[in-house]
Amino acid sequence: MIQSIDRAAKILGLLQGSRRLGISEMAAALDLPPSTVHGIVKSLQSHGFVAQQPSGNRYVLGPALLKLSSVYLDTLDVRARSMRWMHELSRRTGLASRLGVESFGEVIVIHHDRRPDGTEQMPETGVTIPSHVSAMGKVLLAYDAAHAADVLSRPLPSLTAETTTEPDLLREEFEQVRRDALGYENEEAVIGESSVAAPICAEDGEVIAAIAVVMPSNAWPPTAAVLDDLREAARNISRELGAPTWPPRPPAPGQD
Amino acid sequence: MIQSIDRAAKILGLLQGSRRLGISEMAAALDLPPSTVHGIVKSLQSHGFVAQQPSGNRYVLGPALLKLSSVYLDTLDVRARSMRWMHELSRRTGLASRLGVESFGEVIVIHHDRRPDGTEQMPETGVTIPSHVSAMGKVLLAYDAAHAADVLSRPLPSLTAETTTEPDLLREEFEQVRRDALGYENEEAVIGESSVAAPICAEDGEVIAAIAVVMPSNAWPPTAAVLDDLREAARNISRELGAPTWPPRPPAPGQD
DNA sequence: AAGCCGATTCGACAATGTCGAATAGACACT
DNA sequence: AGTGTCTATTCGACATTGTCGAATCGGCTT
């Protein structure tokens, strides 16, 4: 692990958490001399990874990150294959759909197709959601014992009154997910918002992503028609990716 | 400039250009020993900035970039303020709208509102376009002599038959932009696609972003109604940001 | 099975980043 | 306006740290 790169990454992580920071604030947070932090920040700045606001001495994340992330998205085969099916899914259900993958114990949304009702909606691509409060997260964990064990080994934050923070309850949910090939989440992340997710399999049969539809909680539970559309989309995407079966064959029945 | 951070950034830049690279390919491109590159790549990997594909020994950009970019977008005041007006603009004109800022001599799209016709459209947020082939780029350069001089000092790539690569012609276009507060681009970036852009001003009156509508070239030239809607959107956003005047007062009449 | 190519590991060296002190600059308070 | 404090920034000496070359490992092809 190269020290200065590690520190640079930590600085970016810091700026991710609290939007605008001065050199000395970062130095205090990382317990480093300000001059060291300054050197790193200036290097990051010269490549556009951080920028300093016009208002002077505070730093924020920079535009180079956006350009890189755009290329990152382009490299994702799942995403390219999914877009057309997700659009169809949103059109048929009238709901927003999301595609997510696992990243460092969270779910990161790699594509988002809005509700087709013409209202203004925030783009959600790039948003991360703790796995245990997300329907997609539950699906991804249910088919990945290693990540599941990792996530459940740490304390689980509670985001709403409905959040499940009990590892054993989540383990039961994972079993249900493996049975139905569907994961649910009812106001566990955001009040008033619920979602259902299904797994997406790659060529080797592994679950590599999850697709979800998001609905207002007053439309809960989802109708059979919505679930069918969701399953259909997941199956079609998986087939395009060359998956041998769908629903995925559950992994060896170990404990997660 | 910290060496290892500089090298890390160059590696990310390399991966940005050619999606999948092995250690030795990067080493060759940067003229460094493979072991050095390996150390840097592994450090980047441990923070999620690069990932290696399941298929073995090739590296690609990683998901951490997406998460960071999402926070970057959230820090942009212009973007938050623009979204609602852009949605209105797209609704009224029936065209896709874009918001862009300058970054390292290019325009980077920081928000994109699709055509409201329900068809499937690629998300364009994060896409970068060379300034001289973009209506937004021309607007941004017209009001920023320093950047303009910088961009024009380098050879300008030609993307289509319509691309203007002659610095003097572009300088004339900049003058027209400053007169009309509108910049044009007709099939200069992508064949079959044209756009018009208007400047957005911040509190201090500086042009900090550009807003554009994109249309199929057979809808060229844009109608007066479209231009009015565009101007209206730019004016409204600028006003929300606290700009003293719109259209912006052109800068001191130096040569760019 | 052998050979090749690339990724990866390891250890010694010195180049490099780090740190503390000194400087410069911004801002608030008197 | 002047003074004080806070912060960012610059600079140079030191030794820590990253770098490099050689050796090892692993996969794939012939």
Side-chain angles (χ1 to χ4, degrees), chain B:
Chain B
M1 182 71 44
I2 292 176
Q3 190 187 46
S4 59
I5 293 181
D6 190 48
R7 289 173 171 180
K10 290 211 176 84
I11 287 174
L12 291 175
L14 234 46
L15 288 168
Q16 183 178 80
S18 32
R19 275 77 218 269
R20 294 141 220 276
L21 292 172
I23 295 285
S24 51
E25 289 173 297
M26 304 183 214
L30 296 177
D31 199 24
L32 287 172
S35 58
T36 301
V37 173
H38 181 254
I40 295 170
V41 169
K42 280 298 169 191
S43 299
L44 289 172
Q45 181 174 214
S46 78
H47 288 280
F49 293 119
V50 307
Q52 53 190 339
Q53 349 215 90
S55 33
N57 48 16
R58 295 192 104 73
Y59 292 84
V60 293
L61 295 175
L65 295 164
L66 181 56
K67 184 172 180 184
L68 285 169
S69 79
S70 152
V71 173
Y72 162 69
L73 289 174
D74 283 347
T75 61
L76 293 171
D77 203 27
V78 221
R79 182 168 180 266
R81 306 265 183 196
S82 298
M83 287 177 48
R84 138 186 177 65
W85 298 110
M86 289 175 70
H87 196 66
E88 173 74 5
L89 176 62
S90 290
R91 198 187 59 73
R92 289 174 65 94
T93 59
L95 301 172
S97 57
R98 288 177 184 160
L99 182 70
V101 296
E102 197 274 345
S103 170
F104 288 81
E106 294 185 310
V107 176
I108 183 160
V109 177
I110 58 174
H111 187 62
H112 170 217
D113 201 300
R114 302 143 206 248
R115 283 190 310 275
D117 59 10
T119 59
E120 191 192 349
Q121 293 162 63
M122 289 291 289
E124 285 170 351
T125 303
V127 165
T128 55
I129 314 166
S131 291
H132 70 291
V133 304
S134 150
M136 292 191 292
K138 290 176 189 172
V139 167
L140 292 168
L141 292 182
Y143 293 98
D144 186 335
H147 277 133
D150 185 46
V151 167
L152 295 185
S153 72
R154 274 187 281 273
L156 302 168
S158 178
L159 302 193
T160 73
E162 300 303 319
T163 306
T164 311
T165 57
E166 192 54 58
D168 283 333
L169 289 176
L170 284 164
R171 270 184 266 263
E172 281 175 34
E173 280 199 66
F174 296 162
E175 277 179 39
Q176 168 264 306
V177 169
R178 285 188 291 263
R179 263 197 313 276
D180 308 345
L182 287 178
Y184 301 91
E185 163 270 313
N186 185 12
E187 296 196 305
E188 292 169 40
V190 175
I191 292 171
E193 201 177 279
S194 302
S195 59
V196 201
I200 288 175
C201 310
E203 207 164 357
D204 55 1
E206 289 297 298
V207 174
I208 54 159
I211 185 175
V213 287
V214 187
M215 65 203 77
S217 297
N218 57 34
W220 187 265
T223 63
V226 165
L227 296 183
D228 281 346
D229 289 336
L230 177 64
R231 257 189 287 256
E232 191 63 21
R235 192 199 321 273
N236 282 326
I237 296 166
S238 300
R239 186 190 319 124
E240 266 202 33
L241 291 170
T245 63
W246 199 98
R249 190 177 308 285
Q255 62 270 21
D256 352 82

Side-chain angles (χ1 to χ4, degrees), chain A residues 11 22-24 26-28 30 32-42:
Chain A
I11 287 174
I23 296 285
S24 51
M26 306 184 214
L30 296 177
L32 288 172
S35 57
T36 301
V37 173
H38 181 255
I40 296 170
V41 169
K42 280 298 169 192

Side-chain angles (χ1 to χ4, degrees), chain A residues 56-134:
Chain A
N57 50 15
R58 295 193 103 72
Y59 291 86
V60 294
L61 295 175
L65 295 164
L66 182 57
K67 185 171 181 183
L68 285 169
S69 79
S70 152
V71 173
Y72 161 70
L73 289 173
D74 283 347
T75 62
L76 293 172
D77 204 27
V78 222
R79 182 171 181 265
R81 305 267 184 194
S82 299
M83 286 177 49
R84 137 185 179 65
W85 297 109
M86 289 175 69
H87 196 66
E88 172 73 6
L89 176 61
S90 289
R91 198 186 59 72
R92 288 175 66 94
T93 60
L95 301 172
S97 57
R98 289 177 182 159
L99 181 71
V101 296
E102 197 275 343
S103 170
F104 288 81
E106 294 184 310
V107 176
I108 183 161
V109 177
I110 58 174
H111 187 62
H112 171 216
D113 201 300
R114 301 142 208 251
R115 282 190 311 274
D117 60 10
T119 58
E120 191 192 352
Q121 294 160 63
M122 290 290 289
E124 285 171 350
T125 302
V127 165
T128 56
I129 315 167
S131 292
H132 70 292
V133 303
S134 149

